[in-house]
Amino acid sequence: MEFFAADRRGNDFDFRLSIFCRRVYNRYIKSRQRSLLLWRKSSKEEFFMEQLRSLSALLDYAKQITAAKGPKCIAVAKADDPGLFEAMEDARKAGIARFTLTGERAKIEAAAKAAGADLADYNVIECSASEAEMAVKAVTEVSSGKADIYMKGQLHTANFLRGMLNKEVGLRRGKNTISHCFFHHIKGYDHLFFVTDAAFNMYPDVAQKADIIRNAVQLAHSFGIECPKVACLAAVEEVNPDMPATLDAAALTAMNNRKQIKGCIVDGPFALDNAVSEKSAQIKGIDSPVAGKADILLAPNIEAGNALFKAIVYFSENETAGLIIGAAAPIVLTSRADSPRTKLLSVAAAVVFADSLKK
């Protein structure tokens, strides 16, 4: 192999190796120039990608996966929104996804035309009875193995989620808690933040919070974070019997210490400042490998999580995307208010996560 120079883009070091490939992991390929993310060998004699530190790097990695293995198939329920088509076109042209669409063909055609898309590039399953039927048709594509990812179109969230939870064809995986996770690249930080659960579970108990952590850790692993640091958030950093969030945090920390929650470091309770600011943690004398270095921020309830997520979106320079995780396949639940870029990044995350689930 011949190694060439790395480049720097923005505030992130986005390293590339231009590699003249003669042999890759005992598999001969035709000699040609390729651009690859840095990989390194672990102590387990397996190869892992380097940690993704921006959502632009996430999109690049999704392109690399699909260049090697082909685009992932995404089943979209009620895909008759021009804004959604713009994001789907971006993903299709990037080579990371192909789409199966359910809904009324006439409305889908109108949305495609408004977005300048050619419907010949999409597979359409006609169904016009109800939103519930559109959701079931789409989720069946995923549970049957014909598609890899389930995505919300222009239907009510309740109907979309009913499809996901359908007892016959849905995506529930045993008794595991399904959860939502936002991930953010915030200017000034050299890593991604994962915020969970800000959209799905309202008042999770300790057992559900343990599942929510496990789901987020699995997602973080797919982003190249080998041992994510999880901060259990509360209003204060001390255990207080009168504050249930602090008791939950202490229990989750103990569960992690006893290997009931694996693949990460869990600690808490933390107030937000000492979870993300090393200076704040030092001033308060908090000695923890998570203090000031958290990757995953576990919200005590949906109100706190949703407020944190929206504060990041509106009060900082950031890029944000999100997924429903903990199901049998990745689920893309976007808002009509989301930009096409946000929807594209959510699709890219689903592609990366779907690939990791099959390893």
Side-chain angles (χ1 to χ4, degrees):
M1 292 187 179
E2 294 177 7
F3 297 87
F4 296 86
D7 66 314
R8 181 173 182 174
R9 300 179 182 177
N11 293 324
D12 301 307
F13 281 97
D14 187 11
F15 289 103
R16 294 289 187 273
L17 290 179
S18 181
I19 301 176
F20 182 76
C21 299
R22 296 186 182 275
R23 190 176 68 175
V24 178
Y25 311 143
N26 298 318
R27 180 166 59 91
Y28 286 89
I29 62 174
K30 292 182 179 180
S31 296
R32 59 182 175 177
Q33 291 267 329
R34 286 189 172 185
S35 177
L36 298 174
L37 281 171
L38 276 170
W39 292 66
R40 60 190 172 80
K41 201 170 185 180
S42 76
S43 59
K44 295 182 179 180
E45 299 301 306
E46 296 173 349
F47 286 88
F48 293 91
M49 49 177 282
E50 282 292 319
Q51 178 175 337
L52 299 175
R53 296 184 178 274
S54 72
L55 296 190
S56 294
L58 171 69
L59 179 57
D60 288 344
Y61 184 54
K63 291 176 181 178
Q64 292 177 34
I65 290 172
T66 53
K69 302 179 182 180
K72 298 295 183 184
C73 183
I74 302 179
V76 186
K78 200 175 188 297
D80 55 15
D81 174 54
L84 176 63
F85 257 100
E86 186 177 345
M88 291 193 296
E89 277 289 276
D90 289 342
R92 187 187 66 79
K93 291 176 180 177
I96 65 173
R98 56 188 177 86
F99 294 88
T100 293
L101 316 178
T102 69
E104 297 180 57
R105 188 175 188 91
K107 291 183 178 180
I108 293 174
E109 287 178 342
K113 184 176 180 181
D118 185 350
L119 204 57
D121 295 321
Y122 297 82
N123 177 37
V124 178
I125 298 176
E126 170 75 33
C127 54
S128 56
S130 66
E131 287 189 355
E133 181 193 4
M134 296 173 194
V136 168
K137 290 279 189 182
V139 82
T140 299
E141 291 291 297
V142 182
S143 60
S144 67
K146 295 178 182 177
D148 305 289
I149 297 160
Y150 179 48
M151 183 172 182
K152 180 180 177 292
Q154 193 76 350
L155 76 169
H156 288 91
T157 300
N159 290 325
F160 176 76
L161 295 178
R162 287 191 190 101
M164 178 187 77
L165 298 173
N166 184 281
K167 292 183 179 179
E168 296 179 358
V169 297
L171 300 175
R172 182 176 286 282
R173 191 182 63 192
K175 295 182 179 180
N176 185 62
T177 302
I178 295 173
S179 56
H180 189 280
C181 187
F182 286 108
F183 28 97
H184 311 268
H185 179 220
I186 304 171
K187 185 177 180 180
Y189 291 89
D190 68 348
H191 65 96
L192 299 176
F193 287 103
F194 299 76
V195 175
T196 190
D197 184 335
F200 198 69
N201 293 283
M202 292 188 291
Y203 303 104
D205 58 23
V206 171
Q208 291 170 323
K209 286 180 178 180
D211 276 344
I212 290 168
I213 290 173
R214 293 183 188 105
N215 294 343
V217 166
Q218 187 179 34
L219 178 64
H221 285 169
S222 76
F223 285 25
I225 305 171
E226 290 186 45
C227 187
K229 299 176 178 67
V230 183
C232 301
L233 297 182
V236 297
E237 59 276 359
E238 295 180 348
V239 177
N240 184 334
D242 294 326
M243 302 180 73
T246 69
L247 299 177
D248 288 356
L252 293 164
T253 301
M255 291 174 71
N256 178 241
N257 290 337
R258 296 189 179 193
K259 310 301 181 186
Q260 292 173 267
I261 303 173
K262 300 178 181 178
C264 60
I265 302 172
V266 180
D267 202 1
F270 284 105
L272 179 62
D273 56 347
N274 43 64
V276 301
S277 166
E278 291 186 65
K279 182 178 180 180
S280 175
Q282 289 169 359
I283 291 172
K284 293 188 176 183
I286 301 172
D287 183 16
S288 165
V290 177
K293 300 177 182 178
D295 300 297
I296 298 171
L297 302 173
L298 176 72
N301 55 49
I302 197 169
E303 284 97 345
N306 198 266
L308 174 57
F309 144 67
K310 288 179 179 174
I312 290 171
V313 169
Y314 289 100
F315 293 154
S316 70
E317 188 174 334
N318 69 92
E319 281 200 307
T320 292
L323 290 177
I324 292 178
I325 52 181
I331 298 163
V332 182
L333 176 66
T334 56
S335 166
R336 284 174 292 178
D338 289 340
S339 68
R341 171 72 176 179
T342 294
K343 293 174 182 175
L344 173 63
L345 293 172
S346 294
V347 168
V351 167
V352 169
F353 194 39
D355 182 70
S356 73
L357 292 176
K358 293 185 177 181
K359 290 180 181 178

